[in-house]
Amino acid sequence: MGGGGQLKKPGEPDCEKGRGVYTWEEVKSHSSRSDQWLVIDRKVYNISQWAKRHPGGFRVISHYAGEDASEPFAAFHPDPKFVQKFLKPLLIGELLPTEPSHDQNKNEDIMQDFHSLREQTKNQGLFDARPLFFCLHLGHILLLEALAWIILWYWGTSWTLTLLCSVILATAQSQAGWLQHDFGHLSVFKKSKWNHIVHKFVIGHLKVTLVVCPHVKDFQSSLYGVKKIKHMPYNHQHLYFHLVAPPLLIPVFYNINIMQTMISRRDWVDLSWSMTFYLRYFWCYVPFYGVFGSMVFYIFIRFLESHWFVWVTQMSHLPMEINHEKQQDWLRMQLKTTCNVEPSFFNDWFSGHLNFQIEHHLFPTMPRHNFHLVAPQVRALCEKHGIQYQVKTLWQGLADVVK
């Protein structure tokens, strides 16, 4: 809005601020790899040069090029005031006053109700972490690690005890994976800095592997496979999934990929952390099994952990529709692409609370021990707007992956 209360023409600069006002059509025209604009709370930002430096990665922020990114921005940034110092230099203007605040298929009533729910959960303290929960979780990981070593040291390395300790250590590694996931989502400490610092310790010294599992299916997988967009024949992934993903994802793909990434990016800090894991591991187990035996023992532990990780993460994603997202509002998009597995003490522990996948996707920075508190509120909101809220048994979730 210019001086005298007259509307500005699209793209016309604001003489007072040196910035322009834009229509949605103009914003949408800037969605190529080298030319990217996005909208946050009606403000228009040019992220073309900055996207590669985005802490969350180029692909995540580029996904919203030419779109309204207000809801994902609120979901992934627990400290908006801190982020403003990065946004300010990128600000080029705002939407024309006659333009709607959101684009395309988004439902304004749903968006407003979800915004109200988010504010309500903040007021209820559901974004506040309980330090005791995470201390106990870390403690039980360390206890499992120590237990496995003590068993081998005291009773020896028979095949039976070796298998038992493999299961114990795979359990410790899986639980460490859920713990690093907590820090990676900035859901433990108020300050992002401390989440990042402890995350490096957990993922570097306790784990060494990154718990992220991309997947594609349906239209996208066929497109990738037939047109050779990616290296893998994704259009045939239903044929090789069981032979590749559960047994090989962590012991082969993640180990190789992460090492390549750290070296190619010259990330010497992360590489140093990972070296501390291997030094600790071989120092503990070479006396029992020798160098070669320790390597086989390590690969077998990762083999067991990989099955655990793949089945847990995919049962809330793979059976769901994950085609192009059609620019839906945050609530409907997450409910369409994820489902929950019914809660219980075992299910919560076994899955690292990712059985509350709906709540985790809606509130990615919320501490997981609060998911069971927000779940009834999310379900009520879904019922109000006629959105399906899926909850399955653990066995049904696993069976759906096979199906």
Side-chain angles (χ1 to χ4, degrees):
M1 185 73 73
Q6 296 181 352
L7 294 178
K8 290 183 176 293
K9 296 179 181 179
E12 182 179 341
D14 187 320
C15 297
E16 184 178 344
K17 297 182 179 179
R19 295 173 181 141
V21 288
Y22 305 95
T23 65
W24 274 113
E25 288 303 315
E26 288 179 287
V27 172
K28 292 172 186 176
S29 67
H30 297 272
S31 58
S32 66
R33 186 174 180 84
S34 59
D35 179 20
Q36 299 183 344
W37 293 7
L38 55 73
V39 175
I40 299 174
D41 297 330
R42 298 191 62 85
K43 304 290 185 182
V44 181
Y45 298 91
N46 184 345
I47 62 167
S48 305
Q49 301 301 318
W50 188 79
K52 291 182 179 179
R53 304 200 306 272
H54 179 232
F58 173 82
R59 293 181 180 179
V60 174
I61 193 170
S62 297
H63 179 81
Y64 293 96
E67 300 181 18
D68 175 29
S70 303
E71 289 191 302
F73 176 81
F76 285 105
H77 298 87
D79 188 359
K81 292 182 180 179
F82 173 77
V83 183
Q84 283 301 321
K85 69 179 183 179
F86 299 99
L87 285 177
K88 191 173 182 180
L90 309 177
L91 181 64
I92 59 173
E94 57 186 43
L95 291 174
L96 198 67
T98 53
E99 289 289 303
S101 296
H102 52 84
D103 55 349
Q104 292 196 9
N105 301 325
K106 296 178 180 177
N107 185 303
E108 187 171 355
D109 290 337
I110 292 178
M111 292 175 69
Q112 289 179 351
D113 283 352
F114 181 70
H115 175 75
S116 298
L117 176 59
R118 168 175 283 278
E119 294 304 309
Q120 179 178 315
T121 57
K122 288 181 180 179
N123 294 334
Q124 293 171 340
L126 297 187
F127 283 89
D128 298 332
R130 296 203 306 266
L132 180 61
F133 173 88
F134 294 102
C135 287
L136 291 175
H137 192 84
L138 174 61
H140 103 288
I141 293 169
L142 299 177
L143 183 64
L144 289 170
E145 294 263 3
L147 178 62
W149 186 87
I150 291 172
I151 288 173
L152 295 175
W153 171 73
Y154 191 81
W155 282 289
T157 57
S158 66
W159 283 103
T160 303
L161 292 177
T162 296
L163 180 60
L164 172 63
C165 290
S166 298
V167 173
I168 293 173
L169 290 172
T171 301
Q173 285 296 295
S174 296
Q175 292 300 320
W178 307 143
L179 184 61
Q180 71 81 25
H181 182 254
D182 296 320
F183 290 106
H185 274 274
L186 312 180
S187 63
V188 181
F189 295 105
K190 289 291 186 183
K191 294 289 185 180
S192 297
K193 174 183 176 181
W194 286 106
N195 283 295
H196 292 314
I197 290 174
V198 181
H199 185 240
K200 286 184 181 296
F201 165 74
V202 177
I203 200 173
H205 185 70
L206 293 184
K207 268 215 64 67
V208 195
T209 51
L210 179 64
V211 178
V212 173
C213 188
H215 51 264
V216 292
K217 66 173 276 191
D218 297 341
F219 172 79
Q220 287 175 307
S221 57
S222 299
L223 180 67
Y224 284 1
V226 174
K227 293 190 175 182
K228 309 300 182 186
I229 295 176
K230 301 292 185 180
H231 299 297
M232 294 290 287
Y234 287 111
N235 52 321
H236 298 299
Q237 65 176 345
H238 59 288
L239 300 177
Y240 62 77
F241 172 85
H242 298 284
L243 297 176
V244 175
L248 302 180
L249 185 67
I250 290 180
V252 178
F253 175 75
Y254 275 176
N255 274 306
I256 295 174
N257 179 262
I258 290 170
M259 280 297 173
Q260 286 179 336
T261 300
M262 289 188 293
I263 294 172
S264 64
R265 294 183 180 180
R266 299 183 178 182
D267 195 341
W268 309 128
V269 174
D270 284 357
L271 186 61
S272 299
W273 273 114
S274 68
M275 288 302 102
T276 66
F277 170 86
Y278 289 112
L279 287 172
R280 175 175 63 87
Y281 173 81
F282 285 110
W283 181 79
C284 287
Y285 294 104
V286 166
F288 297 133
Y289 297 106
V291 175
F292 180 75
S294 296
M295 292 176 66
V296 174
F297 188 49
Y298 170 80
I299 292 172
F300 184 64
I301 293 166
R302 293 299 191 200
F303 169 82
L304 296 176
E305 178 199 358
S306 189
H307 280 82
W308 188 329
F309 169 67
V310 169
W311 289 103
V312 167
T313 55
Q314 296 312 292
M315 66 184 179
S316 297
H317 291 93
L318 205 60
M320 306 300 291
E321 180 180 343
I322 43 179
N323 289 339
H324 295 301
E325 294 163 354
K326 305 183 180 72
Q327 295 178 312
Q328 290 186 329
D329 47 83
W330 189 249
L331 181 68
R332 285 189 298 172
M333 184 173 68
Q334 304 310 324
L335 268 293
K336 195 170 187 178
T337 57
T338 56
C339 63
N340 280 4
V341 171
E342 61 185 15
S344 69
F345 179 82
F346 175 79
N347 287 357
D348 296 353
W349 173 84
F350 181 71
S351 67
H353 288 84
L354 293 183
N355 53 326
F356 289 96
Q357 194 67 231
I358 291 173
E359 287 70 30
H360 174 55
H361 274 215
L362 290 174
F363 308 102
T365 61
M366 179 179 288
R368 57 178 160 125
H369 54 67
N370 288 332
F371 287 159
H372 73 286
L373 298 175
V374 74
Q377 302 176 62
V378 172
R379 187 191 286 265
L381 182 58
C382 291
E383 290 177 355
K384 176 181 177 181
H385 292 282
I387 302 172
Q388 186 180 16
Y389 182 100
Q390 288 196 51
V391 182
K392 304 176 180 179
T393 65
L394 178 63
W395 298 114
Q396 182 184 355
L398 297 175
D400 283 348
V401 175
V402 178
K403 181 180 177 181

